[in-house]
Amino acid sequence: ETGVTQTPRHLVMGMTNKKSLKCEQHLGHNAMYWYKQSAKKPLELMFVYNFKEQTENNSVPSRFSPECPNSSHLFLHLHTLQPEDSALYLCASSQEVSEGNYEQYFGPGTRLTVT
Amino acid sequence: AQSVTQLDSHVSVSEGTPVLLRCNYSSSYSPSLFWYVQHPNKGLQLLLKYTSAATLVKGINGFEAEFKKSETSFHLTKPSAHMSDAAEYFCVVRIQSGGSYIPTFGRGTSLIVHP
């Protein structure tokens, strides 16, 4: 596999369920990101991991819990979600260096529906 | 603080005619600027990036963008639209925030191409 992969591609869950989204990057990058993309809203940065350390948490509700066990894998654990959490969840990776001119590579996303 | 404004939520063109997608940014520092494209039910793909070298940047699929510091703009153009260009386009600015380079995404411009 190449690039950034995400599983599952589609997920339907009830508000009381617990599920996890998985992201894996095969690019040797040292930073990984979770984004939420909702209809008619800007792309929202949720979490950033740089060298496996969480460096950003943009006021995301605690029902979303990220985990980064190594530089290639990123998880988003979900529990007691709300219907407004239904969205496309995108994972991205990049190689962070001292300048800011490095691009992000995105996975195809997980389409989450909360019922 | 940094911000990015995509001036049009939708742009409609005929196949074979020029494309112009507008982006203005606000940044206190020298920015890195990117354009991404997202086709339906796909992740984001990098089109091109500006990294303080040449102000006219060429990307994939015949797209290019010009960095104009005096106008704080980074508009995306293509001489001749193709049906396959129909997608959502995002302008992104990255500047340093503490020890990280945080990306800020525009709200996106939907490009519609008519036969």
Side-chain angles (χ1 to χ4, degrees), chain B residues 13-100:
Chain B
V13 300
S14 297
E15 190 175 22
T17 63
V19 175
L20 170 64
L21 305 183
R22 298 182 292 167
C23 173
N24 285 93
Y25 69 92
S26 171
S27 172
S28 302
Y29 304 95
S30 295
S32 295
L33 294 157
F34 307 80
W35 275 99
Y36 287 84
V37 61
Q38 184 179 30
H39 287 93
N41 299 312
K42 303 279 189 180
L44 279 70
Q45 179 186 16
L46 180 72
L47 276 178
L48 48 81
K49 64 179 181 180
Y50 167 74
T51 60
S52 71
T55 56
L56 182 61
V57 182
K58 294 187 184 300
I60 63 171
N61 301 334
F63 284 93
E64 61 182 38
E66 186 172 8
F67 173 69
K68 293 187 176 180
K69 186 175 182 179
S70 60
E71 299 177 9
T72 61
S73 69
F74 190 57
H75 301 334
L76 182 70
T77 61
K78 183 174 180 178
S80 177
H82 192 272
M83 294 297 291
S84 60
D85 294 327
E88 191 82 12
Y89 291 79
F90 294 93
C91 182
V92 182
V93 61
R94 294 190 78 169
I95 64 164
Q96 188 172 12
S97 173
S100 302

Side-chain angles (χ1 to χ4, degrees), chain A residues 40-78:
Chain A
K40 303 188 186 305
K41 292 178 73 174
L43 205 63
E44 300 173 54
L45 178 63
M46 300 175 72
F47 302 104
V48 179
Y49 277 83
N50 199 327
F51 292 99
K52 299 187 296 177
E53 298 294 323
Q54 188 180 123
T55 57
E56 291 291 326
N57 176 340
N58 283 352
S59 304
V60 179
S62 59
R63 58 185 182 271
F64 295 91
S65 174
E67 178 189 2
C68 188
N70 55 61
S71 59
S72 298
H73 294 85
L74 184 65
F75 295 89
L76 188 62
H77 303 298
L78 317 170

Side-chain angles (χ1 to χ4, degrees), chain A residues 18-37:
Chain A
K18 289 185 178 182
K19 296 286 185 183
S20 295
L21 310 185
K22 178 183 177 182
C23 175
E24 184 173 0
Q25 59 97 359
H26 310 269
L27 301 167
H29 289 164
N30 57 17
M32 296 186 77
Y33 311 75
W34 278 118
Y35 287 90
K36 177 183 179 184
Q37 187 176 34

